[in-house]
Amino acid sequence: MNPLVTPFFHAPTGTWTYVLSDPATREAAVIDPVLDYDWRSGRTGVSSAEQVLRHLEEGGLQLRWILETHAHADHLSSAAYVKARAGGTVAIGSGIRDVQATFKRIFGLGEEFVPDGRQFDRLLEDGERIALGDIEGEVIATPGHTNDSVSYLFGDALFVGDTVFMPDGGTARCDFPGGDAAELYRSVQRLYALPAGTRVFVCHDYAPGGRPVACETTIAAQRAGNVHLKAGTPEHEYVAMRRARDATLDVPNLIIPSVQVNIRAGQLPPKESGGVSYLRVPLNVIGRPL
Ligand SMILES: [Fe+2]
């Protein structure tokens, strides 16, 4: 049994959110929902999340899962908001504990933030099975971009997070704390071992060459044509390319707010005495010297 998949594009961050559902039972999962954020004002917004919620409501879908492919560094997660509105279990790969420990240090977070994954409802291990109605989902650990990265396979639909992008977009960067190009190479080999016709849904698309944005491809198309990593690309060649390229990339616009919210499963930091929630900015820690 294969799920119905509806994509939602968040243009400001180039992020794809997916709603997948089991046509038989009308149970649904949301993958990587986005919280809107304006850096200049510090305002968060829920218009993207509301689109997803409207789709669930109009389709008479019962939300079972809110799945994160990893702690994103380029957009904030609306997992907590979606859960408050529609229910569901918020889950992420168990590697989130490493990511939380790393960023607790980088952001100088206090005792209040415990890096043991308790902010999420479920931490998923490699190979774990999760049910979406009559469709069985499998968690495939795909570290490399981050420690906690996982892909989700439901029937013939594979949600790859930041591993590979569309074939002309290549692969995800591996230079964040905990990232590792050789590890990403091995993760992608696991995905490439899946059946050729597996539908692949990517987490981002930046529309290279000005083509329309796209979200869906296949394992066969990735193996044959991914511009960074084809079926026969040797590991050392990929790792050298990835490292050289990562050394030229800018820090993502929203890494500072995103990580602080996403390691809390999409919740804002606890309100302080004036009833306001604050983010922290570590000076001269993230990125390259100016
Ligand atoms: Fe990412």
Side-chain angles (χ1 to χ4, degrees):
M1 189 77 105
N2 297 320
L4 296 175
V5 179
T6 306
F8 296 84
F9 189 60
H10 187 252
T13 61
T15 304
W16 287 104
T17 295
Y18 298 98
V19 173
L20 53 153
S21 59
D22 170 20
T25 62
R26 308 202 78 70
E27 289 194 8
V30 174
I31 298 185
D32 292 333
V34 177
L35 186 69
D36 301 302
Y37 185 73
D38 179 57
W39 213 176
R40 288 166 299 188
S41 62
R43 289 265 171 194
T44 61
V46 295
S47 58
S48 306
E50 286 294 342
Q51 265 191 322
V52 169
L53 290 164
R54 213 173 307 126
H55 173 79
L56 294 171
E57 205 175 293
E58 286 170 3
L61 301 173
Q62 173 77 46
L63 188 58
R64 290 288 180 223
W65 294 100
I66 301 164
L67 302 172
E68 299 283 359
T69 54
H70 61 293
H72 308 274
D74 65 302
H75 68 271
L76 285 69
S77 165
S78 62
Y81 179 77
V82 171
K83 179 184 172 179
R85 287 285 312 278
T89 298
V90 179
I92 197 164
S94 61
I96 187 64
R97 292 181 286 232
D98 297 330
V99 175
Q100 288 177 323
T102 299
F103 284 105
K104 177 173 183 171
R105 203 167 52 243
I106 289 175
F107 286 107
L109 302 180
E111 300 273 285
E112 147 283 316
F113 182 77
V114 185
D116 64 357
R118 66 178 61 180
Q119 301 79 0
F120 296 81
D121 300 319
R122 275 282 292 276
L123 299 186
L124 301 168
E125 302 291 342
D126 183 43
E128 204 168 330
R129 311 276 164 163
I130 56 178
L132 180 66
D134 296 337
I135 302 173
E136 188 178 65
E138 183 186 347
V139 179
I140 305 172
T142 44
H145 171 65
T146 62
N147 285 325
D148 63 332
S149 290
V150 294
S151 298
Y152 297 101
L153 179 65
F154 286 91
D156 72 340
L158 177 69
F159 300 86
V160 295
D162 288 0
T163 53
V164 287
F165 299 129
M166 293 299 288
D168 59 356
T171 60
R173 65 195 298 175
C174 296
D175 60 333
F176 296 152
D180 184 319
E183 211 166 30
L184 183 63
Y185 179 92
R186 291 190 285 271
S187 292
V188 172
Q189 301 310 311
R190 289 188 70 190
L191 300 181
Y192 283 6
L194 292 168
T198 305
R199 294 185 286 164
V200 172
F201 294 92
V202 300
C203 183
H204 291 290
D205 189 55
Y206 306 109
R211 65 151 169 73
V213 287
C215 66
E216 181 179 349
T217 176
T218 63
I219 287 293
Q222 293 285 11
R223 282 185 198 148
N226 187 286
V227 292
H228 292 167
L229 184 42
K230 296 183 194 22
T233 305
E235 179 174 329
H236 65 91
E237 209 173 275
Y238 172 73
V239 169
M241 181 286 302
R242 190 66 266 172
R243 287 192 183 141
R245 190 175 159 84
D246 287 349
T248 70
L249 298 177
D250 289 332
V251 169
N253 286 335
L254 295 181
I255 190 169
I256 286 173
S258 296
V259 170
Q260 290 179 77
V261 169
N262 296 345
I263 59 176
R264 298 177 191 274
Q267 299 179 63
L268 304 185
K271 289 181 177 164
E272 298 191 15
S273 50
V276 176
S277 188
Y278 293 86
L279 294 168
R280 295 168 67 87
V281 178
L283 298 177
N284 300 312
V285 174
I286 293 173
R288 293 187 293 276
L290 299 182

